[in-house]
Amino acid sequence: MEMTKRWLFLDDVRYPVEAYHYTKQDIFLRNNWHIVRTYEQFVSRIMEKGLPEFISFDHDLADEHYLKPDSFEYKEKTGYHCARWLADYCLDNNMELPGFYCHSMNPVGKEKILAFLENFKKNNDGYI
């Protein structure tokens, strides 16, 4: 499976241009984003279309994530689960990790995703 040209935006409610307003990152003004709202859509999109060139992660993907921040009892999966799945996918398929950013407004969740992906990249030279 090869990388696709489109970029992937994982967020349950926002659109890329909305992320621009609080991140001031010009990448969110691009028009080549494909939006996925859930863990299931994230996995399905990558399985069907291949790895995107770039992924921006939100952490909280369901109402329960806002009500019980940083809980280990979530029924719905978070952006962190997506990042872990992505690492496994890259490892299983001997593929390089795509570019990534985390636009989550949850500082703990954001750090968790970024630390995981940066650590993976550092320890695997880009490969999982």
Side-chain angles (χ1 to χ4, degrees):
M1 191 75 57
E2 57 189 62
M3 283 200 179
T4 63
K5 295 287 183 196
R6 294 186 65 88
W7 290 17
L8 198 58
F9 185 81
L10 173 66
D11 197 299
D12 58 325
V13 293
R14 286 184 293 265
Y15 291 90
V17 71
E18 293 172 276
Y20 171 78
H21 294 298
Y22 62 89
T23 65
K24 302 302 183 207
Q25 297 293 315
D26 288 343
I27 59 171
F28 295 114
L29 298 176
R30 297 172 62 112
N31 63 2
N32 62 334
W33 290 100
H34 182 85
I35 300 166
V36 291
R37 303 292 187 193
T38 65
Y39 172 88
E40 290 77 15
Q41 288 179 2
F42 180 87
V43 170
S44 178
R45 177 68 184 188
I46 293 173
M47 293 297 290
E48 291 173 15
K49 302 292 184 180
L51 279 180
E53 286 183 34
F54 192 87
I55 302 172
S56 187
F57 291 86
D58 183 20
H59 181 270
D60 304 325
L61 302 177
D63 289 342
E64 71 176 320
H65 304 151
Y66 300 105
L67 301 175
K68 298 185 280 183
D70 214 30
S71 173
F72 292 103
E73 301 173 17
Y74 295 144
K75 290 183 175 85
E76 296 295 326
K77 295 189 175 182
T78 67
Y80 178 72
H81 294 102
C82 293
R84 291 187 58 106
W85 180 88
L86 176 66
D88 288 340
Y89 178 86
C90 289
L91 180 61
D92 291 345
N93 292 282
N94 196 32
M95 297 184 77
E96 188 173 337
L97 190 65
F100 58 88
Y101 184 85
C102 187
H103 65 270
S104 181
M105 295 179 96
N106 173 338
V108 173
K110 180 177 184 169
E111 179 57 32
K112 193 172 174 182
I113 291 169
L114 290 175
F116 174 78
L117 292 174
E118 290 290 350
N119 190 49
F120 164 78
K121 191 172 182 178
K122 176 181 157 190
N123 291 319
N124 297 284
D125 291 327
Y127 291 88
I128 297 182

